[in-house]
Amino acid sequence: VSREIARRDERRISMSSKIAQFPFVRELDGFDFDAQPSLDQGQIRELATCRWIAHGDTLLFLGPPGTGKTHLAVAVGREAIRQNYNVQFITAATLVATLAKAHSDGSLDKQLAILSRPKLLIIDELGFVPLSKTGAELLFELISQRYERGSTFITSNLPFDEWTETFGSERLTGALLDRLTHHVSILEMNGESYRLAHSRARKAKT
Ligand code: ADP
Ligand code: MG
């Protein structure tokens, strides 16, 4: 009987993972913490308990490209699925494009409702492409609607002081950060691998 339950559980997790639309399968077990010493392993393990999701908190995960942000977002997302939370993964670019399309064809309210449903929404790569003013406003609208309803896990390669530039408006960025930074955890990686890549690129140029 317990084997039957385990099998059913596995099926549920794999089905929910498909629905969540993760870009790849990653687990916390496969993450090499030694390779990312700026990261607090205890803090990541705490995130994987999903207590912060139960509280409806927000998570900002900042760091240069290639440092494992998406890996950890997916790993935490899969833990959340194991704990029966409804999870959705989406890149910021796709999210904004989806909202913009809905905005132009009159289905924005419906789309906002759809994106407000998951208990955990992972928005990956915020700041990877600059947002238009409308894009920033639509994102703000969604964050406002999810506020105190569900948890949002945002990854970004941008340090905080570059957010205004990406959102194009100091007022909007301020309002967005205000929404985001309520019950927020901020994880920032120091970007070891980024510097390494840069020094390699510099060497390649000379
Ligand atoms: P980011 O989202 O920060 O740009 P990713 O999470 O996409 O980086 O990482 C790039 C690739 O490297 C992925 O395949 C990921 O699994 C792997 N990776 C990154 N950091 C680690 C790590 N510390 N341990 C194991 N794999 C890692
Ligand atoms: Mg990534």
Side-chain angles (χ1 to χ4, degrees):
V1 175
S2 68
R3 204 187 297 162
E4 175 59 30
I5 291 171
R7 212 174 347 200
R8 216 180 301 154
D9 222 36
E10 225 163 84
R11 255 200 314 268
R12 180 185 64 79
I13 290 165
S14 101
M15 188 107 77
S16 301
S17 296
K18 265 194 206 110
I19 292 167
Q21 293 186 296
F22 297 124
F24 46 48
V25 176
R26 293 291 185 282
E27 303 287 355
L28 209 51
D29 274 352
F31 194 80
D32 177 8
F33 284 95
D34 292 336
Q36 209 51 251
S38 69
L39 213 52
D40 181 347
Q41 188 174 160
Q43 204 174 358
I44 299 294
R45 302 243 172 244
E46 172 58 34
L47 290 176
T49 67
C50 300
R51 271 190 284 260
W52 65 287
I53 300 171
H55 296 152
D57 293 350
T58 302
L59 178 68
L60 291 185
F61 197 176
L62 313 179
T67 47
K69 297 183 299 299
T70 304
H71 182 137
L72 290 170
V74 169
V76 170
R78 287 175 64 87
E79 279 304 318
I81 285 173
R82 283 193 189 95
Q83 296 188 27
N84 265 314
Y85 288 115
N86 184 347
V87 179
Q88 184 68 51
F89 181 105
I90 193 163
T91 64
T94 301
L95 175 67
V96 170
T98 303
L99 290 174
K101 186 174 172 291
H103 181 52
S104 66
D105 69 19
S107 61
L108 183 61
D109 285 349
K110 192 173 147 223
Q111 194 55 247
L112 286 171
I114 290 170
L115 287 161
S116 298
R117 220 173 286 148
K119 182 67 182 169
L120 173 62
L121 182 69
I122 301 171
I123 304 176
D124 200 29
E125 299 184 341
L126 185 65
F128 217 72
V129 273
L131 288 174
S132 67
K133 186 169 176 289
T134 311
E137 278 164 1
L138 290 169
L139 183 66
F140 177 74
E141 193 61 40
L142 175 66
I143 300 290
S144 296
Q145 231 179 76
R146 288 186 54 80
Y147 185 61
E148 290 189 335
R149 258 201 241 177
S151 280
T152 309
F153 186 142
I154 298 178
T155 81
S156 179
N157 59 315
L158 288 179
F160 263 139
D161 51 11
E162 283 170 36
W163 278 42
T164 307
E165 211 176 307
T166 307
F167 293 121
S169 147
E170 208 162 309
R171 184 190 55 78
L172 201 60
T173 308
L176 189 68
L177 281 177
D178 193 52
R179 280 283 192 283
L180 285 175
T181 50
H182 181 71
H183 295 301
V184 75
S185 298
I186 301 169
L187 265 84
E188 201 160 6
M189 291 199 262
N190 70 8
E192 277 303 318
S193 68
Y194 188 61
R195 278 204 291 273
L196 207 66
H198 267 247
S199 74
R200 263 194 233 114
R202 266 200 304 275
K203 262 182 211 144
K205 265 187 208 158
T206 53

